[in-house]
Each structure stands twice: as C-alpha cells, then as structure tokens.
Amino acid sequence: MLLSLSVLTLNVLVSVFIGRRHDLERFQKAAQIIIIWLIPVVAAIGLWAFYKSQDDEVKPDSNNFGGGAQGCGVSLDD
C-alpha cells in the first residue's frame, strides 16, 4: 500500500513538474508524461534528474577565465 502510494505521489509530482516547464513543446510534455505513467519509477526519477541537471546554472571557474596576452606567448613590450 505504501509503495503504490509513493509511486503515485512521485508520478503526480514529476508530471506537474514537466507540465509547468516552459522550454518544452506541448507534444514533448505529453509524450514524457505518458512515459512517466507507463514506466512509473524509472522514467519519473530519470526525467526529473535530467531536467534538474539542465536547470543548474553554469558557473565559470574564476581562476581559468580570460588570461589575456600572458597566456598565449605574445609579448606587448617593444
């Protein structure tokens, strides 16, 4: 009973999560929600993890950014 309730809750939450995304077309949303309900646990966790990783901000490494003329072997001295 508890397992089926957990799967149902997971499916509903991820279906709402995908349904609210603005970067997917209507067909993509419908297809992915159908997949979630056909393959409950694997599809729901997999699609949620994929989209959460896509939403993470890319933060540049401040130590390796730029470098200017020093890093390419060009001398600006006359």
Side-chain angles (χ1 to χ4, degrees), residues 62-74:
S62 61
N63 296 333
N64 295 328
F65 187 75
Q70 300 89 354
C72 64
V74 175

Side-chain angles (χ1 to χ4, degrees), residues 45-63:
I45 293 172
L47 287 170
W48 176 79
F50 174 75
Y51 284 119
K52 289 304 279 183
S53 71
Q54 297 296 312
D55 290 341
D56 291 341
E57 291 184 32
V58 177
K59 298 178 183 174
D61 185 10
S62 61
N63 296 333

Side-chain angles (χ1 to χ4, degrees), residues 3-75:
L3 180 63
S4 61
L5 184 60
S6 298
V7 170
L8 179 67
T9 303
L10 179 66
N11 283 358
V12 169
L13 290 174
V14 177
S15 295
V16 170
F17 175 76
I18 289 178
R20 290 181 156 203
R21 294 193 61 89
H22 298 292
D23 59 338
L24 299 175
E25 295 177 14
R26 178 178 282 166
F27 176 78
Q28 291 173 311
K29 290 179 185 181
Q32 291 177 7
I33 290 172
I34 289 170
I35 290 171
I36 288 170
W37 287 96
L38 289 177
I39 312 170
V41 177
V42 176
I45 293 172
L47 287 170
W48 176 79
F50 174 75
Y51 284 119
K52 289 304 279 183
S53 71
Q54 297 296 312
D55 290 341
D56 291 341
E57 291 184 32
V58 177
K59 298 178 183 174
D61 185 10
S62 61
N63 296 333
N64 295 328
F65 187 75
Q70 300 89 354
C72 64
V74 175
S75 177

